[in-house]
Amino acid sequence: MQRAQVGGHHPPAGRVNGGEGQALEFGRLQHFFHLCTQAVDQVLSVRPPNRSARLSPATPTDSRLPSMQRSGCTKKKRVAGEDRDADASTMKMHPNQLTVSPETVRTLVDQQFPEWRSLPVRSITAQGTVNAIFRIGDRLAARFPLESADVESTRRQLKAEAEAARELAGRTRCPTPEPVALGEPGAGYPLPWSVQTWLPGIVAVNEDPGGSYPFARELADFIGDLRAIDTRGRTFASTGRGGELQSHDAWMETCFRHSEQLLDVPRLRRVWATLRDLPRGAAEDVMAHGDLIPGNVLVSAGRITGILDIGGFGPADPSLDLVSAWHLLEAGPRQALRDHLGCDDLEWERGKAWAFVQAMGLVWYYVESNPAMSRTGQQSLERVLADQSPA
């Protein structure tokens, strides 16, 4: 399986990631951001800143539904996902963004999956920037790509994401969504879409676990579980985060240019000049999530209840998932995560570099359209700068 993109929620440096998964970041999205830069420039110049295919089920022995009780994870006893139910935001984040209404989703579900006609459809508030998310009943989530794209390439992407999710299912100590079905275009929506299992919990944007040492250890365990999965000879095959740092120079220049009214760009340029030169070292690629930002982590009482946006699971630089140390943790728990994973200085600094790349894109790109995502980027940059020697 070639990895179409690592980091995707993600701000402009991978999946414009974020949360339930905005993801903000490169790969396919880097190409998109290149196409829309002129449109963004215009904005900043005014104000800175066939029948649906049922997928084969995931590992049948996996018992996360309904129990979801696994070592290192806690279950919150309440109505699943009640914290995320709400009207989806109508603010557009991308120049080519599609509109997906609950009425459209209701029609598509009724037409393509008649067995779900009795289940309510609800839009939810999510930090994701790649998909609009809708609940179907209490156990399913439908994901609709937000950016206009070619139908066949979108279908291939969704199938690749489902395969990645299926490979990961049941192999970590924390629950991850499992693929259920693929939907087809219809009812005015032009692209294929996907259905996966719903996980209860509160996104870490809304319940900050950054000061929790148990959370840091669980996060380290999750990263360790991913690394223990065999790459089967696969290596990083994307243009997004997870390869060579210097390949992101052009993107970083775009970020610096668009951040001049928002951030201390001269200082950030000096930081990047140091981080970009960090060597890869001899470490081989390992399996990684690729977008461990707050919007992709579900929590309850400072403990992990699930990890979202796992379609980018694949081989990458071992330091890539260390972005979570700066996106999610304060200084003490951050050090605890490092100690738990046994990171050497080079691996740790490269993790900081990947967090820097992602955060720089999040701040300016979402400053108007997704303020929570922009604030995530700002907080991560503050943590990175606090860890840097005075420049």
Side-chain angles (χ1 to χ4, degrees), residues 2-20:
Q2 282 193 343
R3 186 175 196 169
Q5 53 189 21
V6 177
H9 197 18
H10 333 357
R15 279 184 308 240
V16 174
N17 29 164
E20 215 172 4

Side-chain angles (χ1 to χ4, degrees), residues 8-13 15-18 22-25 29 32-33 49 91-94 97 127-130 147 262 358-375:
H9 197 18
H10 333 357
R15 279 184 308 240
V16 174
N17 29 164
Q22 247 234 81
L24 228 74
E25 295 69 275
L29 283 178
F32 160 74
F33 290 119
M91 173 74 77
K92 290 197 172 185
M93 294 174 285
H94 315 295
Q97 185 164 322
Q127 297 303 317
T129 62
V130 173
E147 297 176 55
L262 302 169
Q358 187 169 27
M360 281 298 306
L362 290 172
V363 174
W364 70 268
Y365 190 81
Y366 293 112
V367 66
E368 297 290 345
S369 62
N370 193 332
M373 186 67 73
S374 181
R375 287 193 297 271

Side-chain angles (χ1 to χ4, degrees), residues 20 78-88 122-127 133 135 141 196-204 206 295 297-299 305 308:
E20 215 172 4
R78 56 179 171 74
V79 177
E82 62 184 3
D83 56 285
R84 287 177 279 161
D85 287 337
D87 290 336
R122 289 164 285 177
S123 59
I124 68 165
T125 297
Q127 297 303 317
I133 312 297
R135 292 190 68 183
Q196 62 184 29
T197 53
W198 172 267
L199 299 180
I202 302 173
V203 290
N206 298 330
V297 180
L298 298 175
V299 298
T305 64
L308 303 174

